[in-house]
Amino acid sequence: MDDDSTPPGPGAARGPAPAPAPARREQRRARGAGAEDVRGEQVADLQRRLALAEAAGARLQLLADVSQVLVQAPGDLDGALGTIARRVVPQLAHWVAVDLLEHDGVRARRVALVHRDADVQEVLRAGLGPLPALSARMSSPLAQVLRGAPLQHVREVSTSAQEDDECWDRRVALMRRLGASQAVVAPLRVRGHTLGAITLVRTDAAWPFDDDDLALVADLADRAAATVDAARLLQREQHRAEQMQRALLPQLPARIGDVHLHGLYRPADDLSQVGGDWYDAFTLVDDGIALVLGDVAGHDLHAATRMSAIRHKLRAIAGQRVHLPSQVLTHLDRVLQRFAPDDVATLVYAHLQPEQEGWGLEFSCAGHLPPLLLVPGAPARLLHAEADLPLGVADLPRADTYAEVPVGASLVLYSDGLVERAGESLTHGLQRLVRAGEGLQHLPLELVCEELIARLQPAGTDDIAVLATRVHPPAALAP
């Protein structure tokens, strides 16, 4: 019986003999080197991933910054596009130009030109302004984009001029001056219409535009184009609204009898805030002259249309032989409270009557500012009167004020947009008005209105209406 526990004899087979110690050390080094290579590759891959994530974050931040700028663009479109160009430089390009087509689609103007070097930037201001008109013969990347071509990636910028392409020749001259290795010309296009182009230029051949850069430029251009389109639509609507408001104002004659007249209307800087300011002047059945200046509450088209309705109602009531200005305003207030209870308006209504030695003025203020009187040889002054409640607030008694208006004197009615400033009391605004009126007594009425605005420098946040009158000797007293 065999005994399995018997150790093998000298000739029996054995397992592989252990490697010598130097070989084992080499194997361990090889395994360690392999592990280090794997770790190195992992670290390098992680660094690449972090770099890509950082670049993506920077692009997203750039888009967020541009979007924030564009939110405020309609008020100052050119300024917003310039801000975008400054934000893009130097993160995405060494210098940038933004060109907008005019509404005719042929003429263009450069609205922004930004370089990374502040010293160069000061010189580039001369490069802003109109560009040569587009023509079918122009074949440069800029001309192609402005005529509707997609984004152009110019991998090798040529600094040679092109025949019959004055617009590109100017760009070439600029590239020679500022340097250029690669350029991207992206269209500002919306709803199938090209509104302009943005050109980004890199001067370092070691920093070419890649696919991610091109996608980012296209995104920026699309956002800018949407803002340009919105701003132009708003401008057109604002223009229509302003024209509508001006059409609602009466055609003021240069004179009524012996009284010279001049009206001035100036919209607010933000034309979307169309207001309800108006002036009017017309003859009365007793041969007197009615002077009106009012302001309907609100800054929209509704206020403008209500202004026209109130003006016509006032004329109708004044023509019914109602004698005192306070009575006219009381009648008008009751009509508004009955048929337009939501309307609120301030108003000064005055009767100018010839008298034996000049003119007499009787007026009533419905929550409105007092008239300014300019008499040759005398200080400018306000005709202080009791300011009753505005129209549409409450049916309370109203007061009249009488004042003499010497021959040659000027009377100025105005809306609050002329004197009001943020953070300043109305009293200070009226004091400034009196000071501004000094020295205007002898100027033509047109210059009186313009000079008052120039001296007061209104904030521009509200509409301004001014009605200036100058009385001459009544015909009955004239030699």
Side-chain angles (χ1 to χ4, degrees), residues 264-268 277 414-418 453 458 460 462-466:
L264 180 148
Y265 170 76
R266 182 164 296 181
D277 294 12
Y414 52 93
S415 60
D416 54 6
L418 180 66
I453 291 179
D462 196 2
D463 292 11
I464 298 172
V466 181

Side-chain angles (χ1 to χ4, degrees), residues 172-185:
V172 166
L174 190 63
M175 289 178 173
R176 290 197 192 105
R177 182 176 183 182
L178 301 181
S181 174
Q182 281 199 5
V184 176
V185 185

Side-chain angles (χ1 to χ4, degrees), residues 127-330:
L128 300 177
L131 296 175
L134 288 176
S135 69
R137 294 172 296 181
M138 295 180 176
S139 59
S140 66
L142 176 60
Q144 293 180 44
V145 167
L146 290 178
R147 287 203 304 267
L151 180 146
Q152 303 287 301
H153 181 193
V154 186
R155 291 177 173 81
E156 294 184 5
V157 176
S158 172
T159 56
S160 60
Q162 297 188 19
E163 187 177 357
D164 296 328
D165 202 336
E166 184 181 353
C167 189
W168 184 250
D169 290 350
R170 288 192 180 188
R171 185 65 57 89
V172 166
L174 190 63
M175 289 178 173
R176 290 197 192 105
R177 182 176 183 182
L178 301 181
S181 174
Q182 281 199 5
V184 176
V185 185
L188 306 182
R189 184 179 296 115
V190 64
R191 301 197 315 275
H193 299 285
T194 300
L195 307 179
I198 179 170
T199 303
L200 292 84
V201 182
R202 291 180 179 177
T203 61
D204 186 357
W207 187 33
F209 288 101
D210 58 23
D211 292 340
D212 290 337
D213 294 331
L214 299 181
L216 178 58
V217 172
D219 197 343
L220 290 173
D222 288 342
R223 296 179 186 228
T227 300
V228 172
D229 183 56
R232 289 184 170 178
L233 287 174
L234 178 60
Q235 289 171 358
R236 286 195 288 270
E237 291 303 318
Q238 290 170 345
H239 179 71
R240 293 192 187 101
E242 181 186 354
Q243 293 302 311
M244 174 184 175
Q245 187 168 18
R246 290 188 183 277
L248 293 175
L249 292 172
Q251 295 296 320
L252 199 66
R255 62 183 296 167
I256 298 178
D258 303 305
V259 177
H260 285 200
L261 304 164
H262 181 72
L264 180 148
Y265 170 76
R266 182 164 296 181
D269 291 342
D270 181 4
L271 293 181
S272 63
Q273 299 294 304
V274 178
D277 294 12
W278 91 95
Y279 52 75
D280 200 359
F282 50 91
T283 57
L284 298 169
V285 293
D286 58 0
D287 294 329
I289 299 173
L291 305 176
V292 187
L293 197 137
D295 184 359
V296 177
H299 290 87
D300 50 25
L301 286 177
H302 174 75
T305 55
R306 295 311 304 159
M307 169 267 286
S308 178
I310 293 174
R311 181 172 70 85
H312 288 293
K313 288 183 176 68
L314 175 60
R315 279 196 169 210
I317 295 172
Q320 296 176 356
R321 296 185 179 275
V322 178
H323 297 292
L324 294 176
S326 61
Q327 295 174 343
V328 173
L329 294 186
T330 298

Side-chain angles (χ1 to χ4, degrees), residues 71-82:
V71 167
Q72 305 170 352
D76 181 12
L77 180 59
D78 291 1
L81 293 175

